[in-house]
Amino acid sequence: MTAAAKPYHHGDLRAALVAEGLLLIEEQDADDLSLRELARRVGVSATAVYRHFPDKAALMAALAGEALTRLAAAQRAASERAGGGSAGFSATGAAYVRFARDNPGLFRLVFAHPVTPGHAEKSNDEAMTMLKAGAAALTPPGTDARVFALRSWALAHGLAMLMLDGQVQVDDATIDRVIDVTMSG
Amino acid sequence: MTAAAKPYHHGDLRAALVAEGLLLIEEQDADDLSLRELARRVGVSATAVYRHFPDKAALMAALAGEALTRLAAAQRAASERAGGGSAGFSATGAAYVRFARDNPGLFRLVFAHPVTPGHAEKSNDEAMTMLKAGAAALTPPGTDARVFALRSWALAHGLAMLMLDGQVQVDDATIDRVIDVTMSG
């Protein structure tokens, strides 16, 4: 059986392509990732890949969507573990930093890699939904809710990027202490 | 007179190369910048460039050094305008964000672009000096000084990167409100 003839049901192949794409994006720069290479790794023809992802942007959008789903799940779980409220909101920030540390390629794809405007908008929408919900409830008196949300995002995003770009080395306990939106120490 | 014969005194040529390098780094990705292109732009031979910068890493280090000098000057000026103290420290953070916005190529070169360990160390040292000095004096009671310094840096860095990567659009007044290390609103 040739690679191109490997039997995949339509939905299964899409899932397999996304799964392999998630691995590939951690192995190499998104710029270098090609649909052809993805086809080779999954063992199907390029034509079979194009049926699911007509171009690279379509694949990147699918990977970004999967990344946001996973990030949101990690943030929800962290918030619940922390018991919600202010501690839960800080925990969602720390979960954002840990997601970046553990999935640098995916994180850059969603939040740092230059993307098409449409794609960026989607990312912003989804990433900001939980943030705004948490921020709105926790914004200190006298502070603009948008400013508070932006400050919280900037804090987590900045620590994530400083870590990914090798500017600082931060252990798990320090992540929690830095990403304390209540700023109580 | 051929380009290669253009007369430069030794020190003047170095300054001209750095000045042109600062322009080039805003025009294109640092990865694509070459000493050969720099030579062509300044109108000297590649050999003349190599006399000052034996390789690209040497040029990048010189540009990063110049960037840090300019950033420090902008931060000092902003702190003085704000009257020092807590407001002055917040102003240095806002100046960091504005420097990133106005010099994205240089900013990425220093803080975001993957660099050699030695270079990164130098960047960290210089960038962190003013931050640590300001942070030490302003760290709230019960907060670890390193955590406070890191939080302040992460906040400014995060807003800068979100702006540079097109995730948020933030006007000047909002920069000041987000980068308020006293978090008083």
Side-chain angles (χ1 to χ4, degrees):
Chain A
M1 187 187 296
T2 67
K6 199 169 166 183
Y8 270 105
H9 289 290
H10 192 76
D12 293 347
L13 176 54
R14 189 181 192 283
L17 291 169
V18 168
E20 192 66 32
L22 291 171
L23 295 178
L24 263 177
I25 200 116
E26 298 301 341
E27 285 173 25
Q28 57 185 254
D29 200 84
D31 285 341
D32 301 330
L33 198 156
S34 79
L35 292 183
R36 234 161 243 292
E37 184 185 6
L38 180 63
R40 193 170 44 71
R41 294 255 301 220
V42 173
V44 298
S45 68
T47 309
V49 171
Y50 295 141
R51 230 169 270 143
H52 292 278
F53 302 111
D55 54 28
K56 188 173 154 181
L59 172 68
M60 294 296 127
L63 296 183
E66 181 64 26
L68 288 164
T69 301
R70 291 180 183 199
L71 172 59
Q75 290 185 302
R76 252 193 312 274
S79 175
E80 280 165 22
R81 270 197 308 274
S86 164
F89 187 60
S90 293
T92 65
Y96 180 99
V97 177
R98 290 192 176 92
F99 182 86
R101 178 196 61 192
D102 298 339
N103 309 275
L106 260 187
F107 181 82
R108 287 184 196 276
L109 174 69
V110 176
F111 294 110
H113 197 266
V115 286
T116 58
H119 174 184
E121 211 171 293
K122 180 175 180 290
S123 304
N124 276 334
D125 282 355
E126 299 196 27
M128 285 298 276
T129 300
M130 173 172 290
L131 184 62
K132 278 185 183 154
L138 297 166
T139 302
T143 300
D144 182 272
R146 180 175 169 256
V147 167
F148 181 71
L150 196 47
R151 188 183 292 159
S152 306
W153 190 13
L155 178 61
H157 191 75
L159 182 59
M161 294 306 293
L162 289 173
M163 289 172 70
L164 292 196
D165 287 325
Q167 295 285 337
V168 297
Q169 291 193 319
V170 177
D171 62 24
D172 236 38
T174 306
I175 292 176
D176 289 332
R177 294 171 73 195
V178 171
I179 308 301
D180 178 356
V181 294
T182 62
M183 303 296 154
S184 57
Chain B
M1 186 187 296
T2 67
K6 199 167 167 184
Y8 271 106
H9 289 290
H10 191 77
D12 293 349
L13 175 53
R14 189 181 192 284
L17 291 169
V18 169
E20 193 66 33
L22 291 171
L23 295 178
L24 264 178
I25 200 112
E26 297 301 341
E27 285 174 24
Q28 57 186 253
D29 198 86
D31 285 341
D32 301 331
L33 199 155
S34 78
L35 293 182
R36 235 160 242 293
E37 184 183 7
L38 180 62
R40 193 170 44 69
R41 294 256 299 223
V42 173
V44 297
S45 68
T47 309
V49 171
Y50 295 143
R51 228 168 271 143
H52 291 278
F53 302 110
D55 53 28
K56 191 174 153 181
L59 172 67
M60 292 298 127
L63 297 183
E66 181 64 26
L68 287 165
T69 301
R70 291 181 183 198
L71 172 58
Q75 290 185 303
R76 253 193 311 273
S79 176
E80 280 165 21
R81 269 198 308 275
S86 163
F89 187 60
S90 293
T92 65
Y96 180 98
V97 177
R98 290 190 176 93
F99 182 87
R101 179 196 60 196
D102 299 339
N103 309 275
L106 260 187
F107 181 81
R108 286 184 196 275
L109 174 68
V110 175
F111 294 110
H113 196 265
V115 286
T116 58
H119 174 186
E121 215 170 290
K122 181 175 179 289
S123 304
N124 275 335
D125 282 356
E126 299 195 29
M128 283 299 274
T129 300
M130 173 173 289
L131 183 63
K132 279 185 184 155
L138 296 165
T139 303
T143 300
D144 181 273
R146 180 171 170 257
V147 168
F148 181 70
L150 196 47
R151 188 183 290 160
S152 305
W153 190 12
L155 179 62
H157 191 73
L159 183 59
M161 294 306 294
L162 289 172
M163 290 172 70
L164 293 197
D165 287 325
Q167 295 286 337
V168 298
Q169 290 193 321
V170 176
D171 62 24
D172 238 38
T174 305
I175 292 176
D176 289 331
R177 294 173 72 196
V178 171
I179 308 300
D180 178 354
V181 294
T182 62
M183 303 293 154
S184 58

